[in-house]
Amino acid sequence: MASLIDTPIDASDIVRLERDGAVAVVTLARADAMNAVNDAIRIGLVSACEQAEADPAIRVLVIRAEGERAFCVGADIKEVRPILSQAEMRTPPADRDYTAAIAAMTKPVIAAIHGFCLGAGLEIALACDIRIAAPCASFGLPEVNLGLIPGAGGTQRLSRLIGVGRALDMMLSGDRVDAAKALAYGLVTRLTASRDELDERALALARSLSVKAPLAITYLKEAVIGGLDGTLTAGLARERDLFILLQATEDKAEAAEAFKTKRVPVFVGR
């Protein structure tokens, strides 16, 4: 008899993947549970990222959520999951390692956040490249209140993003920060005027990125993110290598020609 961890889960109704031109839009669709993370969401996010990464016509990914109250309130504490050994828990199955799948994207990933963005929900957002939020958004990693710590990247990504002091303040207290403070902290980089315009603003940003040179975007992510864990010297060497590689691309030549002829460049990713 198969264990629960081996049982196939249909995530298509819980995590929807739709296309808007060169933009893939991933929607968390558990509004009745405030998009709490269960295995369907884990599997659905991994699958959506893999599909978007493999499709050369997709250049940007947007992650959004249904419902009025929450982007995602964290892990679903009501979910019945198999009992795993400590060793098994340290290495989650690849098809459920959702924040790793988001972070591994070579294409830009934008989180469009409204309402509660807590625990695993914030960890989803932290794995993205750009976070845009509505004024109603609030953010927190309250795991300490449950006798736990963030376990899907929160302790590492939040500290790198907003600094150790602010990150520890948020995680040790378990307190939430509102959208204005999140903007001041650099946790998000853009705020919309209202919830109603959040999705369109996120899509507009995604569309603007989707017409840029794909290789340059990929190498830019590699230089920035890959350089975080090394020395400045190593990061500068990586940057120089990637810069040199781009010099020989068709897209670089296209950009130069478009500039000369005063037209919009058309990039093909070569």
Side-chain angles (χ1 to χ4, degrees), residues 15 26 28 40-49 63 98 101-102 124:
V15 178
V26 176
L28 307 182
I41 284 185
R42 294 181 188 97
I43 290 169
L45 279 173
V46 171
S47 176
C49 288
I63 299 178
Y98 56 106
I102 297 168
I124 289 170

Side-chain angles (χ1 to χ4, degrees), residues 250-261:
E250 292 180 26
D251 283 349
K252 193 267 183 183
E254 164 66 7
E257 184 61 25
F259 180 79
K260 289 178 187 176
T261 56

Side-chain angles (χ1 to χ4, degrees), residues 52-73:
E53 183 69 19
D55 188 345
I58 296 298
R59 295 189 176 181
V60 185
L61 186 68
V62 174
I63 299 178
R64 61 175 298 277
E66 286 190 345
E68 294 302 315
R69 298 184 61 193
F71 174 77
C72 174
V73 293

Side-chain angles (χ1 to χ4, degrees), residues 81 85 106 137 192 198 219 241 243 248 250:
R81 302 190 72 198
S85 69
T106 63
T192 63
L198 174 64
Y219 287 4
D241 289 343
F243 176 83
E250 292 180 26

Side-chain angles (χ1 to χ4, degrees), residues 6-7 22 40 48 65 113 118-119 121 130 176 182 203 237-238 255:
D6 297 321
T7 302
I113 304 160
L118 307 174
I130 298 174
R176 301 172 190 167
L203 271 174
R238 182 196 295 260

Side-chain angles (χ1 to χ4, degrees), residues 99 119-120 122-124 126-127 141 143 149-161 167 171:
T99 55
L122 180 49
E123 290 175 307
I124 289 170
L126 288 170
L141 290 173
E143 285 85 350
I149 66 171
T155 64
Q156 302 305 300
R157 292 192 176 101
L158 185 64
S159 300
R160 284 165 169 74
L161 186 65
M171 289 185 283

Side-chain angles (χ1 to χ4, degrees), residues 2-61:
S3 68
L4 287 176
I5 203 86
D6 297 321
T7 302
I9 293 176
D10 183 5
S12 58
D13 291 335
I14 301 298
V15 178
R16 294 200 310 271
L17 177 61
E18 299 165 299
R19 183 166 171 175
D20 183 298
V23 179
V25 180
V26 176
T27 300
L28 307 182
R30 283 194 84 204
D32 57 332
M34 292 196 283
N35 300 306
V37 172
N38 62 359
D39 263 354
I41 284 185
R42 294 181 188 97
I43 290 169
L45 279 173
V46 171
S47 176
C49 288
E50 289 176 345
Q51 291 178 62
E53 183 69 19
D55 188 345
I58 296 298
R59 295 189 176 181
V60 185
L61 186 68

Side-chain angles (χ1 to χ4, degrees), residues 153-189:
T155 64
Q156 302 305 300
R157 292 192 176 101
L158 185 64
S159 300
R160 284 165 169 74
L161 186 65
I162 68 173
V164 172
R166 285 172 170 167
L168 280 173
D169 190 321
M170 285 182 63
M171 289 185 283
L172 290 172
S173 68
D175 291 344
R176 301 172 190 167
V177 299
D178 61 19
K181 184 172 283 189
L183 181 65
Y185 278 4
L187 177 51
V188 300
T189 54

